[in-house]
């Protein structure tokens, strides 16, 4: 069942660590790592494109205390069964589908980057991982990284934390994704659009232009929950690389390992004809999406809500028809959302293989929109709708340690 955290305050979280592990409540600290949406920039982070993001006001929480004496990590979850317990000196390998992969991956990533972890943690987490589409994996990964760093007195720059979280996902979990998720979770600021250049690893938080109409973030879950690594996500990344390699050869620039971000728009326009089949459609999506991001950021800056929404919906269309990542229930939801009154624009929130769709919606129409989406999705997918909530959220700040 979905748990979007945020119920209850800090006191019960601190109390839970105290009760479970017997530590002094004054030693307990909290990390809040929000979920994210991506208004534009679908599947271009792993090709070194520029993406847009916002953190939202739903989050994963980790209440933790350092354990200097025993160099172990011991965790329980308010959302998942069982305890995770391992020694810092003998981190077990990945176990498919196990929530313990994230703390184990975080310790491995820190150690591989040369950080000397002397101190373990005990802790209790809140927040689901299984819904998909809001980057719950990166949120929990970032939460463990920040907690282990705090426990060990490490000061790590945001870009290094982005790389560390990528090491958890690419290295430990085997998902060939880009930096969209951890960058969004670490860098976002309330009411701003986070624009992340995945090639240079630079970012800007952009305030909305004066005329931008107020909006709320509508999240509609599909009820599909499988782990992204078990979908066609990695295959699509491979098809983008095939396209990039063929385009690079056509330019005569040599080299065999390329990503589409290494190819300029002019080179693509000149040589797109060498591509056929899936790589051709993936490249068509990626180059058009890069242009949508440029235009969408400009629309956000000048306060053009209609154009921003139109580009989001066009992004969703391209994800379905050129990137071909839309699972049928997600496509149903996308079709429902972009034809709902008050919706400015809609698309898959995450990869599109499972999880949820996101829409920006006029505040005065938001409650009716939620009711209408619920009704229409229940008709389209009765077998999934009972486990597929529709929520209204707002933008928020990125991940942080929270004072008690
Ligand atoms: C998932 C991945 C991200 C990104 C999106 C699609 O959320 O984790 O890295 O590729 O899909 O834009």
């Amino acid at each position: 069942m979905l748990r979007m955290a945020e119920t209850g305050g800090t006191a019960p979280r601190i109390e839970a660590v105290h009760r479970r592990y017997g530590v002094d409540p004054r030693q307990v600290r909290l990390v809040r790592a929000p979920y994210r949406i991506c208004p534009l920039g679908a599947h271009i982070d792993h090709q070194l494109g520029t993406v847009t993001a916002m953190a939202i006001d739903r989050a994963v929480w980790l209440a933790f205390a350092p354990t200097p004496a025993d160099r172990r990590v011991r965790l329980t979850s308010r959302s998942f069964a069982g305890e995770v317990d391992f020694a810092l000196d003998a981190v077990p390998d990945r176990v498919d589908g196990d929530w313990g992969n994230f703390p184990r991956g975080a310790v491995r990533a820190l150690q591989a980057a040369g950080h000397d972890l002397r101190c373990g943690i005990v802790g209790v987490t809140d927040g689901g991982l299984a819904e998909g589409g809001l980057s719950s994996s990166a949120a929990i990964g970032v939460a463990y990284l920040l907690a282990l760093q705090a426990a060990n007195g490490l000061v790590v720059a945001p870009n290094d934390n982005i790389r560390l979280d990528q090491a958890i996902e690419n290295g430990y979990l085997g998902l060939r994704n880009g930096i969209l998720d951890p960058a969004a979770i670490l860098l976002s600021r309330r009411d701003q659009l986070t624009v992340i250049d995945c090639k240079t690893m630079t970012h800007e938080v952009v305030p909305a232009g004066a005329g931008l109409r107020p909006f709320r973030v509508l999240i509609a879950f599909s009820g599909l929950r499988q782990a992204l690594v078990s979908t066609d996500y990695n295959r699509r990344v491979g098809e983008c690389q095939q396209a990039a390699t063929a385009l690079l050869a056509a330019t005569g620039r040599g080299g065999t390992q390329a990503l589409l971000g290494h190819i300029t728009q002019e080179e693509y326009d000149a040589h797109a004809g060498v591509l056929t089949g899936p790589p051709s459609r993936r490249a068509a999506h990626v180059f058009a999406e890069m242009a949508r991001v440029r235009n969408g950021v400009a629309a956000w800056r000048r306060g053009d809500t209609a154009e921003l929404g139109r580009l989001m919906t066009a992004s969703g269309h391209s994800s379905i028809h050129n990137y071909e990542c839309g699972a049928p229930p997600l496509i149903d939801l996308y079709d429902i959302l972009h034809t709902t009154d008050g919706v400015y624009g809609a698309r898959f929130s995450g990869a599109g293989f499972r999880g949820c769709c996101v829409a920006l919606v006029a505040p005065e129409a938001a409650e009716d929109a939620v009711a209408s989406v619920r009704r229409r999705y229940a008709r389209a997918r009765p077998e999934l709708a009972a486990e597929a909530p529709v929520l209204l959220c707002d933008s928020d700040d990125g991940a942080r340690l929270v004072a008690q």
Side-chain angles (χ1 to χ4, degrees):
M1 194 50 207
L2 182 86
R3 285 186 56 114
M4 290 292 286
E6 298 311 278
T7 46
T10 55
R13 296 188 168 98
I14 292 167
E15 178 58 23
V17 183
H18 165 65
R19 245 185 299 113
R20 173 85 201 189
Y21 294 107
V23 293
D24 180 345
R26 286 168 305 184
Q27 298 293 314
V28 179
R29 304 182 68 186
L30 292 119
V31 184
R32 180 182 183 281
Y35 300 112
R36 67 97 190 92
I37 60 160
C38 168
L40 284 167
H43 290 285
I44 59 175
D45 60 340
H46 51 71
Q47 298 304 302
L48 305 184
T50 294
V51 295
T52 70
M54 274 178 208
I56 57 170
D57 56 359
R58 308 295 170 106
V60 165
W61 285 86
L62 169 60
F64 69 96
T67 55
D70 70 356
R71 297 176 54 82
R72 296 190 77 79
V73 171
R74 282 180 293 148
L75 299 159
T76 47
S77 164
R78 292 165 89 180
S79 315
F80 299 99
E83 181 173 47
V84 173
D85 181 357
F86 63 93
L88 293 177
D89 302 316
V91 181
D93 287 338
R94 181 183 80 205
V95 179
D96 284 340
D98 184 357
W99 65 276
N101 285 334
F102 292 93
R104 292 193 290 262
V107 170
R108 283 263 185 101
L110 283 160
Q111 289 172 336
H115 295 292
D116 185 17
L117 298 183
R118 292 165 184 281
C119 189
I121 56 173
V122 290
V124 179
T125 69
D126 262 28
L129 290 174
E131 300 82 42
L134 296 178
S135 196
S136 47
S137 335
I140 195 69
V142 163
Y144 290 126
L145 288 170
L146 296 185
L148 287 160
Q149 289 160 14
N152 285 276
L154 301 172
V155 178
V156 177
N159 270 7
D160 294 330
N161 268 324
I162 292 169
R163 285 289 182 228
L164 286 165
D165 185 73
Q166 198 183 21
I168 302 175
E169 301 230 31
N170 293 180
Y172 194 78
L173 298 172
L175 184 71
R176 297 172 66 190
N177 58 350
I179 63 165
L180 162 69
D181 304 341
I185 288 163
L186 282 155
L187 304 172
S188 288
R189 291 287 167 268
R190 181 182 305 219
D191 293 335
Q192 319 240 351
L193 187 66
T194 313
V195 182
I196 305 144
D197 180 332
C198 301
K199 192 191 277 175
T200 58
M201 286 198 61
T202 53
H203 80 285
E204 196 183 349
V205 283
V206 183
L212 197 89
R213 277 184 258 158
F215 64 86
R216 301 206 68 199
V217 176
L218 187 155
I219 310 282
F221 285 94
S222 63
L224 295 181
R225 294 196 159 82
Q226 72 271 34
L228 209 45
V229 75
S230 67
T231 68
D232 272 345
Y233 186 96
N234 284 350
R235 181 203 299 260
R236 292 287 179 280
V237 175
E239 290 162 350
C240 290
Q241 288 176 341
Q242 282 171 34
T245 306
L247 287 166
L248 194 68
T251 65
R253 272 205 279 137
T256 52
Q257 290 293 315
L259 300 173
L260 287 166
H262 297 132
I263 311 290
T264 65
Q265 179 73 51
E266 292 69 32
E267 287 171 333
Y268 174 67
D269 292 342
H271 300 292
V274 302
L275 301 175
T276 56
S280 161
R281 294 193 291 281
R282 308 312 171 237
H285 166 78
V286 167
F287 282 96
E289 188 71 1
M290 289 183 182
R292 278 188 288 272
V293 169
R294 286 192 294 277
N295 295 335
V297 174
W300 171 269
R301 281 187 204 278
R302 68 173 185 274
D304 188 343
T305 323
E307 177 64 358
L308 180 68
R310 190 192 67 74
L311 289 164
M312 279 180 73
T313 303
S315 165
H317 186 269
S318 175
S319 289
I320 294 166
H321 296 284
N322 280 333
Y323 206 75
E324 296 175 291
C325 61
L330 265 283
I331 297 175
D332 288 348
L333 262 185
Y334 164 78
D335 285 336
I336 290 169
L337 282 175
H338 75 79
T339 54
T340 294
D341 285 347
V343 166
Y344 300 131
R347 55 173 297 263
F348 302 148
S349 173
F353 294 106
R354 51 30 154 188
C356 57
C357 288
V358 58
L360 302 187
V361 57
E364 64 279 9
E367 298 290 348
D368 286 350
V370 167
S372 158
V373 171
R374 277 201 190 115
R375 224 176 17 248
R376 293 170 70 192
Y377 193 59
R379 267 205 306 273
R381 296 280 165 182
E383 72 288 5
L384 292 171
E387 293 277 317
V390 184
L391 312 169
L392 287 174
C393 309
D394 294 296
S395 96
D396 207 345
D397 290 329
R400 57 188 180 272
L401 278 166
V402 179
Q404 277 198 35

